[in-house]
């Protein structure tokens, strides 16, 4: 599996996102607690070294599952978490970026994950009611205090990224991006030029591309692969800074996703998928 260096921490580029582990609506405990732990442990066994989570997944459920399944963490594991979205019920997400709130949530994540320092902490959303300098500035203070190693952002524009970089060193961005939705292409190109990790969330969304007779379906049959594997292989080929984090609550689906790391697309196949949208 190809790797990426996050400012001194090398990770395998195909990671795992924990958003699907809590209950319906990313709310409450998982339907099967033991199965959730099994997925996390199996991920490590088959080569995942980069895990993405957030305080709002559950809330706190996903972070606590990571601790239960994997703590004490192996030296090569990088745990990324986020703060900045609050929850008032299933499927409800509201940005809160007040400095005192972000500080509280970082302290809670340290406890829930069983860490003394968070490898990568990302601002989950920019709160439009709070100056960006206050939000990133507070996380920078926590970094200076040794509670965060690296800082990242989620769902931002190129301009917002550059504003944040005037306040702190930003090593990653996490935006919606997949084969069918490339609206964040300008941010990806900017991140690649600057050597910043790009973490696409919702990486498996393929829409009509995977329907019978569609470009993913036909190419999958040619490779004896699945449309999901092709979607991930395309992302990995798209940019060397791309770190997809497909999530699942099933060990079988996890193993299927991770097999995408071995799928090699020819130049013609990559172009065929790229041009399909």
């Amino acid at each position: 599996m190809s790797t990426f260096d996050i400012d001194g921490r090398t990770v395998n580029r195909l990671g795992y996102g924990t958003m699907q582990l809590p209950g319906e609506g990313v709310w409450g405990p998982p339907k099967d607690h033991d199965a959730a732990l099994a997925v996390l442990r199996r991920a490590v066994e088959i080569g995942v070294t980069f895990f993405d989570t957030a305080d709002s997944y559950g809330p706190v459920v996903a972070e606590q599952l990571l601790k239960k399944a994997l703590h004490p963490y192996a030296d090569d594991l990088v745990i990324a978490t986020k703060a900045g979205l609050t929850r008032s019920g299933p499927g409800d997400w509201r940005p809160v970026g007040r400095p005192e709130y972000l500080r509280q949530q970082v302290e809670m994540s340290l406890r829930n994950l069983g860490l003394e320092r968070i490898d990568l902490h990302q601002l989950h959303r920019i709160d439009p009611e709070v100056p960006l300098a206050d939000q990133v500035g507070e996380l920078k203070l926590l970094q200076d205090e040794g509670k965060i190693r690296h800082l990242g952002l989620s769902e931002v524009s190129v301009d917002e990224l550059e504003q944040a970089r005037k306040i702190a060193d930003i090593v990653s961005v996490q935006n919606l991006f997949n084969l069918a939705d490339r609206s964040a292409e300008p941010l990806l190109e900017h991140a690649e030029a600057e050597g910043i990790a790009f973490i696409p969330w919702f990486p498996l969304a393929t829409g009509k591309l995977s329907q019978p007779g569609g470009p993913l379906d036909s190419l999958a049959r040619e490779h004896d692969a699945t449309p999901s594997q092709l979607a991930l292989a395309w992302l990995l080929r798209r940019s060397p800074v791309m770190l997809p984090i497909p999530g699942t609550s099933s060990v079988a689906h996890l193993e299927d996703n991770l097999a995408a790391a071995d799928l090699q697309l020819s130049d013609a196949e990559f172009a065929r998928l790229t041009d399909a949208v």
Side-chain angles (χ1 to χ4, degrees), residues 180-244:
D181 186 338
R182 304 176 211 167
S183 54
E185 194 97 36
L187 180 66
L188 170 60
E189 293 175 352
H190 185 74
E192 182 174 333
E194 297 295 322
I196 295 171
F198 186 97
I199 307 167
W201 63 269
F202 209 21
L204 294 179
T206 55
K208 295 180 179 180
L209 298 178
S210 60
Q211 291 182 353
L216 274 174
D217 175 62
S218 57
L219 191 56
R221 284 187 276 106
E222 293 172 21
H223 276 274
D224 192 23
T226 66
S228 292
Q229 288 170 346
L230 282 176
L232 291 170
W234 181 86
L235 285 170
L236 291 169
R237 174 71 184 274
R238 173 61 186 82
S239 172
V241 304
M242 190 85 75
L243 274 63

Side-chain angles (χ1 to χ4, degrees), residues 36-96:
L37 298 180
V39 168
L40 292 168
R41 290 167 179 154
R42 182 58 179 153
V44 172
E45 291 173 353
I46 58 180
V48 172
T49 57
F50 180 66
F51 287 85
D52 177 85
T53 191
D55 65 349
S56 56
Y57 295 168
V60 312
V61 170
E63 289 185 333
Q64 292 176 346
L65 286 170
L66 272 167
K67 180 181 178 182
K68 178 70 173 179
L70 303 180
H71 193 274
Y73 305 106
D75 291 341
D76 63 343
L77 293 191
V78 170
I79 309 294
T81 193
K82 301 179 285 292
L85 283 177
T86 60
R87 308 295 307 283
S88 59
D92 188 53
W93 310 79
R94 307 186 186 195
V96 174

Side-chain angles (χ1 to χ4, degrees), residues 13-268:
R13 288 178 57 212
L14 196 50
Y16 175 80
T18 64
M19 188 175 179
Q20 293 190 34
L21 291 182
E24 187 175 353
V26 201
W27 185 261
K31 293 180 179 179
D32 188 329
H33 183 268
D34 290 342
L37 298 180
V39 168
L40 292 168
R41 290 167 179 154
R42 182 58 179 153
V44 172
E45 291 173 353
I46 58 180
V48 172
T49 57
F50 180 66
F51 287 85
D52 177 85
T53 191
D55 65 349
S56 56
Y57 295 168
V60 312
V61 170
E63 289 185 333
Q64 292 176 346
L65 286 170
L66 272 167
K67 180 181 178 182
K68 178 70 173 179
L70 303 180
H71 193 274
Y73 305 106
D75 291 341
D76 63 343
L77 293 191
V78 170
I79 309 294
T81 193
K82 301 179 285 292
L85 283 177
T86 60
R87 308 295 307 283
S88 59
D92 188 53
W93 310 79
R94 307 186 186 195
V96 174
R98 296 193 303 274
E100 64 272 22
Y101 176 75
L102 293 177
R103 176 170 287 272
Q104 170 187 281
Q105 295 310 107
V106 169
E107 294 288 358
M108 293 299 294
S109 288
L110 287 168
R111 181 190 304 177
N112 287 320
L113 288 166
L115 293 169
E116 294 183 359
R117 181 172 63 173
I118 296 168
D119 291 320
L120 173 60
H121 192 282
Q122 304 162 94
L123 180 61
H124 209 160
R125 289 294 186 277
I126 294 175
D127 183 346
E129 303 300 322
V130 179
L132 178 61
D134 291 351
Q135 298 174 70
V136 177
E138 187 67 25
L139 295 177
K140 177 65 166 60
L141 286 175
L142 287 157
Q143 184 182 43
D144 293 342
E145 293 167 16
K147 296 175 181 179
I148 294 172
R149 180 168 185 166
H150 297 307
L151 296 176
L153 302 171
S154 179
E155 277 306 308
V156 294
S157 66
V158 172
D159 182 61
E160 289 168 334
L161 168 59
E162 287 308 303
Q163 289 181 50
R165 293 179 73 194
K166 295 176 182 177
I167 304 163
D169 185 27
I170 304 297
V171 303
S172 71
V173 288
Q174 182 168 346
N175 276 45
L176 172 65
F177 190 87
N178 51 58
L179 186 57
D181 186 338
R182 304 176 211 167
S183 54
E185 194 97 36
L187 180 66
L188 170 60
E189 293 175 352
H190 185 74
E192 182 174 333
E194 297 295 322
I196 295 171
F198 186 97
I199 307 167
W201 63 269
F202 209 21
L204 294 179
T206 55
K208 295 180 179 180
L209 298 178
S210 60
Q211 291 182 353
L216 274 174
D217 175 62
S218 57
L219 191 56
R221 284 187 276 106
E222 293 172 21
H223 276 274
D224 192 23
T226 66
S228 292
Q229 288 170 346
L230 282 176
L232 291 170
W234 181 86
L235 285 170
L236 291 169
R237 174 71 184 274
R238 173 61 186 82
S239 172
V241 304
M242 190 85 75
L243 274 63
I245 48 166
T248 177
S249 58
S250 160
V251 168
H253 193 196
L254 169 76
E255 292 174 343
D256 182 79
N257 288 340
L258 268 291
D262 299 322
L263 186 57
Q264 299 296 319
L265 298 176
S266 68
D267 291 345

